[in-house]
mmCIF file of all heavy atoms in Angstrom:
data_model
loop_
_atom_site.group_PDB
_atom_site.id
_atom_site.type_symbol
_atom_site.label_atom_id
_atom_site.label_comp_id
_atom_site.label_asym_id
_atom_site.label_seq_id
_atom_site.Cartn_x
_atom_site.Cartn_y
_atom_site.Cartn_z
ATOM 1 N N VAL A 1 67.990 110.961 73.017
ATOM 2 C CA VAL A 1 68.712 111.471 74.183
ATOM 3 C C VAL A 1 69.030 110.337 75.162
ATOM 4 O O VAL A 1 70.150 110.226 75.655
ATOM 5 C CB VAL A 1 67.886 112.570 74.890
ATOM 6 C CG1 VAL A 1 68.512 112.910 76.251
ATOM 7 C CG2 VAL A 1 67.815 113.813 74.026
ATOM 8 N N VAL A 2 68.044 109.485 75.417
ATOM 9 C CA VAL A 2 68.242 108.367 76.347
ATOM 10 C C VAL A 2 69.298 107.407 75.818
ATOM 11 O O VAL A 2 70.205 106.987 76.559
ATOM 12 C CB VAL A 2 66.917 107.623 76.598
ATOM 13 C CG1 VAL A 2 67.167 106.327 77.366
ATOM 14 C CG2 VAL A 2 65.950 108.509 77.372
ATOM 15 N N ILE A 3 69.183 107.060 74.531
ATOM 16 C CA ILE A 3 70.169 106.161 73.915
ATOM 17 C C ILE A 3 71.556 106.805 73.936
ATOM 18 O O ILE A 3 72.565 106.155 74.258
ATOM 19 C CB ILE A 3 69.763 105.800 72.480
ATOM 20 C CG1 ILE A 3 68.506 104.933 72.482
ATOM 21 C CG2 ILE A 3 70.903 105.069 71.774
ATOM 22 C CD1 ILE A 3 68.650 103.601 73.185
ATOM 23 N N GLY A 4 71.607 108.109 73.591
ATOM 24 C CA GLY A 4 72.892 108.801 73.567
ATOM 25 C C GLY A 4 73.524 108.871 74.943
ATOM 26 O O GLY A 4 74.714 108.594 75.112
ATOM 27 N N PHE A 5 72.716 109.224 75.943
ATOM 28 C CA PHE A 5 73.234 109.304 77.312
ATOM 29 C C PHE A 5 73.661 107.930 77.809
ATOM 30 O O PHE A 5 74.723 107.789 78.428
ATOM 31 C CB PHE A 5 72.169 109.880 78.241
ATOM 32 C CG PHE A 5 72.610 109.966 79.673
ATOM 33 C CD1 PHE A 5 73.424 110.997 80.110
ATOM 34 C CD2 PHE A 5 72.233 108.987 80.589
ATOM 35 C CE1 PHE A 5 73.855 111.064 81.427
ATOM 36 C CE2 PHE A 5 72.657 109.044 81.909
ATOM 37 C CZ PHE A 5 73.468 110.095 82.328
ATOM 38 N N SER A 6 72.846 106.921 77.527
ATOM 39 C CA SER A 6 73.177 105.558 77.962
ATOM 40 C C SER A 6 74.463 105.077 77.308
ATOM 41 O O SER A 6 75.317 104.469 77.962
ATOM 42 C CB SER A 6 72.030 104.598 77.616
ATOM 43 O OG SER A 6 70.845 104.974 78.279
ATOM 44 N N SER A 7 74.597 105.364 76.009
ATOM 45 C CA SER A 7 75.811 104.967 75.282
ATOM 46 C C SER A 7 77.027 105.685 75.847
ATOM 47 O O SER A 7 78.096 105.089 76.039
ATOM 48 C CB SER A 7 75.666 105.277 73.790
ATOM 49 O OG SER A 7 74.594 104.562 73.232
ATOM 50 N N PHE A 8 76.873 106.993 76.116
ATOM 51 C CA PHE A 8 77.969 107.771 76.684
ATOM 52 C C PHE A 8 78.350 107.238 78.062
ATOM 53 O O PHE A 8 79.525 107.104 78.387
ATOM 54 C CB PHE A 8 77.565 109.242 76.780
ATOM 55 C CG PHE A 8 78.627 110.143 77.331
ATOM 56 C CD1 PHE A 8 79.688 110.554 76.535
ATOM 57 C CD2 PHE A 8 78.590 110.575 78.652
ATOM 58 C CE1 PHE A 8 80.689 111.378 77.043
ATOM 59 C CE2 PHE A 8 79.576 111.391 79.169
ATOM 60 C CZ PHE A 8 80.624 111.794 78.362
ATOM 61 N N TYR A 9 77.330 106.921 78.865
ATOM 62 C CA TYR A 9 77.572 106.382 80.211
ATOM 63 C C TYR A 9 78.315 105.053 80.136
ATOM 64 O O TYR A 9 79.314 104.843 80.835
ATOM 65 C CB TYR A 9 76.241 106.197 80.949
ATOM 66 C CG TYR A 9 76.394 105.591 82.320
ATOM 67 C CD1 TYR A 9 76.650 106.389 83.431
ATOM 68 C CD2 TYR A 9 76.295 104.209 82.510
ATOM 69 C CE1 TYR A 9 76.802 105.837 84.698
ATOM 70 C CE2 TYR A 9 76.447 103.650 83.771
ATOM 71 C CZ TYR A 9 76.693 104.464 84.850
ATOM 72 O OH TYR A 9 76.853 103.911 86.093
ATOM 73 N N ILE A 10 77.839 104.160 79.285
ATOM 74 C CA ILE A 10 78.468 102.839 79.147
ATOM 75 C C ILE A 10 79.895 102.979 78.649
ATOM 76 O O ILE A 10 80.819 102.324 79.152
ATOM 77 C CB ILE A 10 77.643 101.948 78.196
ATOM 78 C CG1 ILE A 10 76.301 101.591 78.858
ATOM 79 C CG2 ILE A 10 78.404 100.674 77.841
ATOM 80 C CD1 ILE A 10 75.329 100.913 77.933
ATOM 81 N N TYR A 11 80.096 103.879 77.671
ATOM 82 C CA TYR A 11 81.445 104.063 77.111
ATOM 83 C C TYR A 11 82.402 104.624 78.155
ATOM 84 O O TYR A 11 83.508 104.107 78.353
ATOM 85 C CB TYR A 11 81.394 105.001 75.910
ATOM 86 C CG TYR A 11 82.764 105.293 75.342
ATOM 87 C CD1 TYR A 11 83.405 104.378 74.511
ATOM 88 C CD2 TYR A 11 83.430 106.473 75.669
ATOM 89 C CE1 TYR A 11 84.674 104.636 74.013
ATOM 90 C CE2 TYR A 11 84.695 106.731 75.182
ATOM 91 C CZ TYR A 11 85.316 105.806 74.359
ATOM 92 O OH TYR A 11 86.566 106.066 73.883
ATOM 93 N N THR A 12 81.989 105.717 78.838
ATOM 94 C CA THR A 12 82.895 106.365 79.790
ATOM 95 C C THR A 12 83.110 105.540 81.051
ATOM 96 O O THR A 12 84.158 105.632 81.684
ATOM 97 C CB THR A 12 82.356 107.754 80.193
ATOM 98 O OG1 THR A 12 81.025 107.622 80.719
ATOM 99 C CG2 THR A 12 82.331 108.685 78.994
ATOM 100 N N LYS A 13 82.109 104.727 81.403
ATOM 101 C CA LYS A 13 82.189 103.943 82.632
ATOM 102 C C LYS A 13 82.893 102.608 82.425
ATOM 103 O O LYS A 13 83.715 102.201 83.253
ATOM 104 C CB LYS A 13 80.770 103.694 83.164
ATOM 105 C CG LYS A 13 80.690 102.809 84.403
ATOM 106 C CD LYS A 13 81.167 103.504 85.642
ATOM 107 C CE LYS A 13 80.905 102.666 86.882
ATOM 108 N NZ LYS A 13 81.409 103.318 88.116
ATOM 109 N N TYR A 14 82.612 101.936 81.294
ATOM 110 C CA TYR A 14 83.077 100.558 81.130
ATOM 111 C C TYR A 14 84.060 100.359 79.973
ATOM 112 O O TYR A 14 84.832 99.405 79.999
ATOM 113 C CB TYR A 14 81.879 99.622 80.937
ATOM 114 C CG TYR A 14 80.922 99.648 82.099
ATOM 115 C CD1 TYR A 14 79.695 100.290 82.002
ATOM 116 C CD2 TYR A 14 81.255 99.053 83.309
ATOM 117 C CE1 TYR A 14 78.810 100.330 83.068
ATOM 118 C CE2 TYR A 14 80.378 99.089 84.395
ATOM 119 C CZ TYR A 14 79.153 99.727 84.267
ATOM 120 O OH TYR A 14 78.293 99.771 85.322
ATOM 121 N N VAL A 15 84.017 101.215 78.978
ATOM 122 C CA VAL A 15 84.909 101.045 77.821
ATOM 123 C C VAL A 15 86.156 101.910 77.974
ATOM 124 O O VAL A 15 87.286 101.414 77.916
ATOM 125 C CB VAL A 15 84.182 101.387 76.500
ATOM 126 C CG1 VAL A 15 85.150 101.250 75.317
ATOM 127 C CG2 VAL A 15 82.977 100.475 76.314
ATOM 128 N N ALA A 16 85.972 103.206 78.195
ATOM 129 C CA ALA A 16 87.101 104.136 78.260
ATOM 130 C C ALA A 16 87.978 103.930 79.487
ATOM 131 O O ALA A 16 89.122 104.377 79.513
ATOM 132 C CB ALA A 16 86.601 105.578 78.221
ATOM 133 N N THR A 17 87.449 103.262 80.509
ATOM 134 C CA THR A 17 88.259 102.982 81.701
ATOM 135 C C THR A 17 89.062 101.698 81.552
ATOM 136 O O THR A 17 89.841 101.346 82.431
ATOM 137 C CB THR A 17 87.370 102.872 82.954
ATOM 138 O OG1 THR A 17 86.369 101.884 82.730
ATOM 139 C CG2 THR A 17 86.715 104.197 83.276
ATOM 140 N N ASN A 18 88.860 101.003 80.433
ATOM 141 C CA ASN A 18 89.583 99.760 80.159
ATOM 142 C C ASN A 18 90.368 99.902 78.855
ATOM 143 O O ASN A 18 90.487 100.990 78.312
ATOM 144 C CB ASN A 18 88.587 98.591 80.068
ATOM 145 C CG ASN A 18 87.954 98.294 81.413
ATOM 146 O OD1 ASN A 18 88.580 97.753 82.303
ATOM 147 N ND2 ASN A 18 86.683 98.670 81.560
ATOM 148 N N GLY A 19 90.898 98.811 78.374
ATOM 149 C CA GLY A 19 91.635 98.877 77.110
ATOM 150 C C GLY A 19 92.931 99.645 77.243
ATOM 151 O O GLY A 19 93.170 100.645 76.559
ATOM 152 N N LEU A 20 93.768 99.208 78.179
ATOM 153 C CA LEU A 20 95.048 99.872 78.447
ATOM 154 C C LEU A 20 95.888 99.979 77.177
ATOM 155 O O LEU A 20 96.037 99.024 76.434
ATOM 156 C CB LEU A 20 95.815 99.071 79.507
ATOM 157 C CG LEU A 20 97.124 99.651 80.020
ATOM 158 C CD1 LEU A 20 96.866 100.896 80.855
ATOM 159 C CD2 LEU A 20 97.859 98.607 80.855
ATOM 160 N N ILE A 21 96.440 101.171 76.933
ATOM 161 C CA ILE A 21 97.280 101.388 75.763
ATOM 162 C C ILE A 21 98.713 101.714 76.199
ATOM 163 O O ILE A 21 98.937 102.189 77.315
ATOM 164 C CB ILE A 21 96.740 102.516 74.855
ATOM 165 C CG1 ILE A 21 96.638 103.840 75.637
ATOM 166 C CG2 ILE A 21 95.389 102.134 74.278
ATOM 167 C CD1 ILE A 21 96.194 105.009 74.785
ATOM 168 N N ILE A 22 99.668 101.447 75.317
ATOM 169 C CA ILE A 22 101.076 101.753 75.563
ATOM 170 C C ILE A 22 101.464 102.949 74.699
ATOM 171 O O ILE A 22 101.313 102.925 73.483
ATOM 172 C CB ILE A 22 101.981 100.553 75.217
ATOM 173 C CG1 ILE A 22 101.516 99.288 75.948
ATOM 174 C CG2 ILE A 22 103.433 100.879 75.566
ATOM 175 C CD1 ILE A 22 101.631 99.346 77.440
ATOM 176 N N LYS A 23 101.945 103.997 75.341
ATOM 177 C CA LYS A 23 102.409 105.185 74.613
ATOM 178 C C LYS A 23 103.932 105.152 74.576
ATOM 179 O O LYS A 23 104.591 105.291 75.604
ATOM 180 C CB LYS A 23 101.919 106.456 75.303
ATOM 181 C CG LYS A 23 100.405 106.604 75.328
ATOM 182 C CD LYS A 23 99.997 107.879 76.060
ATOM 183 C CE LYS A 23 98.491 108.032 76.112
ATOM 184 N NZ LYS A 23 98.091 109.249 76.868
ATOM 185 N N GLU A 24 104.470 104.974 73.382
ATOM 186 C CA GLU A 24 105.917 104.845 73.250
ATOM 187 C C GLU A 24 106.520 106.153 72.739
ATOM 188 O O GLU A 24 106.041 106.744 71.769
ATOM 189 C CB GLU A 24 106.256 103.695 72.299
ATOM 190 C CG GLU A 24 107.742 103.422 72.204
ATOM 191 C CD GLU A 24 108.056 102.134 71.459
ATOM 192 O OE1 GLU A 24 107.126 101.330 71.231
ATOM 193 O OE2 GLU A 24 109.244 101.931 71.117
ATOM 194 N N LYS A 25 107.574 106.602 73.416
ATOM 195 C CA LYS A 25 108.258 107.843 73.054
ATOM 196 C C LYS A 25 109.768 107.619 73.009
ATOM 197 O O LYS A 25 110.315 106.846 73.800
ATOM 198 C CB LYS A 25 107.959 108.943 74.077
ATOM 199 C CG LYS A 25 106.487 109.220 74.310
ATOM 200 C CD LYS A 25 105.835 109.885 73.128
ATOM 201 C CE LYS A 25 104.367 110.200 73.444
ATOM 202 N NZ LYS A 25 103.682 110.819 72.281
ATOM 203 N N ARG A 26 110.425 108.293 72.086
ATOM 204 C CA ARG A 26 111.883 108.259 72.001
ATOM 205 C C ARG A 26 112.415 109.603 72.478
ATOM 206 O O ARG A 26 111.990 110.652 71.991
ATOM 207 C CB ARG A 26 112.331 107.984 70.571
ATOM 208 C CG ARG A 26 113.829 107.707 70.407
ATOM 209 C CD ARG A 26 114.098 107.147 69.021
ATOM 210 N NE ARG A 26 115.496 106.792 68.840
ATOM 211 C CZ ARG A 26 116.401 107.598 68.289
ATOM 212 N NH1 ARG A 26 116.042 108.804 67.862
ATOM 213 N NH2 ARG A 26 117.652 107.204 68.143
ATOM 214 N N ILE A 27 113.331 109.586 73.447
ATOM 215 C CA ILE A 27 113.877 110.818 74.017
ATOM 216 C C ILE A 27 115.362 110.894 73.701
ATOM 217 O O ILE A 27 116.131 110.012 74.089
ATOM 218 C CB ILE A 27 113.650 110.855 75.541
ATOM 219 C CG1 ILE A 27 112.140 110.830 75.837
ATOM 220 C CG2 ILE A 27 114.285 112.086 76.152
ATOM 221 C CD1 ILE A 27 111.813 110.713 77.291
ATOM 222 N N VAL A 28 115.728 111.940 72.992
ATOM 223 C CA VAL A 28 117.119 112.099 72.542
ATOM 224 C C VAL A 28 117.789 113.215 73.329
ATOM 225 O O VAL A 28 117.232 114.313 73.481
ATOM 226 C CB VAL A 28 117.167 112.414 71.040
ATOM 227 C CG1 VAL A 28 118.620 112.585 70.584
ATOM 228 C CG2 VAL A 28 116.481 111.319 70.235
ATOM 229 N N SER A 29 118.997 112.938 73.852
ATOM 230 C CA SER A 29 119.757 113.963 74.558
ATOM 231 C C SER A 29 121.244 113.643 74.475
ATOM 232 O O SER A 29 121.663 112.521 74.771
ATOM 233 C CB SER A 29 119.333 114.030 76.030
ATOM 234 O OG SER A 29 120.168 114.931 76.745
ATOM 235 N N ASN A 30 122.020 114.656 74.098
ATOM 236 C CA ASN A 30 123.472 114.452 74.057
ATOM 237 C C ASN A 30 124.090 114.555 75.451
ATOM 238 O O ASN A 30 125.292 114.385 75.616
ATOM 239 C CB ASN A 30 124.136 115.454 73.104
ATOM 240 C CG ASN A 30 123.837 116.898 73.465
ATOM 241 O OD1 ASN A 30 123.363 117.194 74.560
ATOM 242 N ND2 ASN A 30 124.100 117.816 72.530
ATOM 243 N N ARG A 31 123.245 114.820 76.460
ATOM 244 C CA ARG A 31 123.724 114.844 77.846
ATOM 245 C C ARG A 31 123.746 113.454 78.461
ATOM 246 O O ARG A 31 124.306 113.247 79.540
ATOM 247 C CB ARG A 31 122.825 115.772 78.690
ATOM 248 C CG ARG A 31 123.104 117.255 78.447
ATOM 249 C CD ARG A 31 122.095 118.162 79.149
ATOM 250 N NE ARG A 31 121.756 117.750 80.498
ATOM 251 C CZ ARG A 31 122.512 117.962 81.589
ATOM 252 N NH1 ARG A 31 123.698 118.579 81.454
ATOM 253 N NH2 ARG A 31 122.104 117.583 82.781
ATOM 254 N N LEU A 32 123.125 112.509 77.798
ATOM 255 C CA LEU A 32 123.117 111.138 78.300
ATOM 256 C C LEU A 32 124.488 110.487 78.148
ATOM 257 O O LEU A 32 125.130 110.632 77.097
ATOM 258 C CB LEU A 32 122.102 110.301 77.525
ATOM 259 C CG LEU A 32 120.660 110.284 78.000
ATOM 260 C CD1 LEU A 32 119.781 109.651 76.925
ATOM 261 C CD2 LEU A 32 120.529 109.522 79.318
ATOM 262 N N PRO A 33 124.950 109.766 79.161
ATOM 263 C CA PRO A 33 126.161 108.947 78.974
ATOM 264 C C PRO A 33 125.902 107.921 77.870
ATOM 265 O O PRO A 33 124.778 107.426 77.718
ATOM 266 C CB PRO A 33 126.334 108.272 80.333
ATOM 267 C CG PRO A 33 125.591 109.128 81.301
ATOM 268 C CD PRO A 33 124.431 109.686 80.537
ATOM 269 N N LYS A 34 126.937 107.595 77.116
ATOM 270 C CA LYS A 34 126.758 106.642 76.016
ATOM 271 C C LYS A 34 126.255 105.287 76.501
ATOM 272 O O LYS A 34 125.559 104.574 75.762
ATOM 273 C CB LYS A 34 128.083 106.469 75.268
ATOM 274 C CG LYS A 34 128.486 107.706 74.475
ATOM 275 C CD LYS A 34 129.761 107.463 73.679
ATOM 276 C CE LYS A 34 130.131 108.701 72.853
ATOM 277 N NZ LYS A 34 131.386 108.478 72.078
ATOM 278 N N SER A 35 126.589 104.938 77.725
ATOM 279 C CA SER A 35 126.149 103.642 78.249
ATOM 280 C C SER A 35 124.629 103.573 78.417
ATOM 281 O O SER A 35 124.055 102.486 78.514
ATOM 282 C CB SER A 35 126.827 103.359 79.599
ATOM 283 O OG SER A 35 126.518 104.373 80.537
ATOM 284 N N PHE A 36 123.971 104.730 78.443
ATOM 285 C CA PHE A 36 122.514 104.766 78.590
ATOM 286 C C PHE A 36 121.780 104.852 77.258
ATOM 287 O O PHE A 36 120.554 104.957 77.233
ATOM 288 C CB PHE A 36 122.096 105.921 79.504
ATOM 289 C CG PHE A 36 122.275 105.621 80.963
ATOM 290 C CD1 PHE A 36 123.487 105.857 81.585
ATOM 291 C CD2 PHE A 36 121.240 105.083 81.717
ATOM 292 C CE1 PHE A 36 123.679 105.570 82.930
ATOM 293 C CE2 PHE A 36 121.409 104.786 83.059
ATOM 294 C CZ PHE A 36 122.638 105.033 83.677
ATOM 295 N N ASP A 37 122.525 104.815 76.175
ATOM 296 C CA ASP A 37 121.880 104.787 74.860
ATOM 297 C C ASP A 37 121.027 103.519 74.750
ATOM 298 O O ASP A 37 121.475 102.427 75.108
ATOM 299 C CB ASP A 37 122.938 104.805 73.753
ATOM 300 C CG ASP A 37 122.328 105.008 72.386
ATOM 301 O OD1 ASP A 37 121.498 105.914 72.233
ATOM 302 O OD2 ASP A 37 122.662 104.233 71.475
ATOM 303 N N SER A 38 119.780 103.669 74.293
ATOM 304 C CA SER A 38 118.817 102.559 74.146
ATOM 305 C C SER A 38 118.252 102.067 75.482
ATOM 306 O O SER A 38 117.629 101.001 75.533
ATOM 307 C CB SER A 38 119.447 101.373 73.396
ATOM 308 O OG SER A 38 119.866 101.772 72.109
ATOM 309 N N THR A 39 118.470 102.831 76.537
ATOM 310 C CA THR A 39 117.872 102.473 77.827
ATOM 311 C C THR A 39 116.348 102.572 77.737
ATOM 312 O O THR A 39 115.806 103.521 77.173
ATOM 313 C CB THR A 39 118.381 103.403 78.946
ATOM 314 O OG1 THR A 39 119.786 103.178 79.122
ATOM 315 C CG2 THR A 39 117.670 103.147 80.255
ATOM 316 N N LYS A 40 115.671 101.587 78.304
ATOM 317 C CA LYS A 40 114.207 101.546 78.254
ATOM 318 C C LYS A 40 113.624 101.827 79.646
ATOM 319 O O LYS A 40 114.024 101.210 80.625
ATOM 320 C CB LYS A 40 113.737 100.188 77.744
ATOM 321 C CG LYS A 40 114.110 99.925 76.291
ATOM 322 C CD LYS A 40 113.619 98.569 75.808
ATOM 323 C CE LYS A 40 114.448 97.448 76.391
ATOM 324 N NZ LYS A 40 114.081 96.124 75.801
ATOM 325 N N ILE A 41 112.691 102.780 79.676
ATOM 326 C CA ILE A 41 112.036 103.163 80.922
ATOM 327 C C ILE A 41 110.532 102.976 80.784
ATOM 328 O O ILE A 41 109.912 103.471 79.833
ATOM 329 C CB ILE A 41 112.332 104.628 81.298
ATOM 330 C CG1 ILE A 41 113.835 104.840 81.516
ATOM 331 C CG2 ILE A 41 111.554 105.034 82.551
ATOM 332 C CD1 ILE A 41 114.217 106.289 81.796
ATOM 333 N N ILE A 42 109.956 102.265 81.722
ATOM 334 C CA ILE A 42 108.494 102.147 81.808
ATOM 335 C C ILE A 42 108.005 103.055 82.926
ATOM 336 O O ILE A 42 108.520 103.016 84.043
ATOM 337 C CB ILE A 42 108.053 100.698 82.115
ATOM 338 C CG1 ILE A 42 108.281 99.784 80.906
ATOM 339 C CG2 ILE A 42 106.579 100.667 82.531
ATOM 340 C CD1 ILE A 42 107.275 99.936 79.788
ATOM 341 N N HIS A 43 107.029 103.888 82.610
ATOM 342 C CA HIS A 43 106.440 104.778 83.612
ATOM 343 C C HIS A 43 104.945 104.502 83.696
ATOM 344 O O HIS A 43 104.230 104.604 82.706
ATOM 345 C CB HIS A 43 106.680 106.245 83.221
ATOM 346 C CG HIS A 43 105.924 107.230 84.060
ATOM 347 N ND1 HIS A 43 105.398 108.399 83.536
ATOM 348 C CD2 HIS A 43 105.589 107.226 85.386
ATOM 349 C CE1 HIS A 43 104.787 109.064 84.493
ATOM 350 N NE2 HIS A 43 104.883 108.375 85.619
ATOM 351 N N PHE A 44 104.479 104.130 84.899
ATOM 352 C CA PHE A 44 103.040 103.994 85.097
ATOM 353 C C PHE A 44 102.638 104.679 86.392
ATOM 354 O O PHE A 44 103.477 104.952 87.255
ATOM 355 C CB PHE A 44 102.592 102.525 85.056
ATOM 356 C CG PHE A 44 102.996 101.672 86.231
ATOM 357 C CD1 PHE A 44 102.052 101.242 87.144
ATOM 358 C CD2 PHE A 44 104.316 101.259 86.402
ATOM 359 C CE1 PHE A 44 102.407 100.429 88.224
ATOM 360 C CE2 PHE A 44 104.683 100.453 87.467
ATOM 361 C CZ PHE A 44 103.727 100.034 88.382
#
């Protein structure tokens, strides 16, 4: 229990709060002007 709790604490406190990941999505819409085809948007 102590090892499990300590591991969970260390993971949630120091590991899971770091290691930034990039989530890439492709959004298709025929309402977009053609000039915006392949436009790249970063959201943070």
Side-chain angles (χ1 to χ4, degrees):
V1 169
V2 170
I3 292 298
F5 179 80
S6 299
S7 299
F8 181 78
Y9 178 86
I10 291 171
Y11 177 79
T12 56
K13 176 73 173 178
Y14 300 106
V15 178
T17 56
N18 292 287
L20 185 69
I21 59 176
I22 306 295
K23 297 179 181 178
E24 185 170 347
K25 305 290 183 182
R26 189 167 183 265
I27 299 174
V28 180
S29 174
N30 57 15
R31 284 173 42 79
L32 273 168
K34 290 184 178 179
S35 59
F36 281 87
D37 189 48
S38 300
T39 294
K40 294 180 286 187
I41 299 176
I42 289 284
H43 170 216
F44 71 109

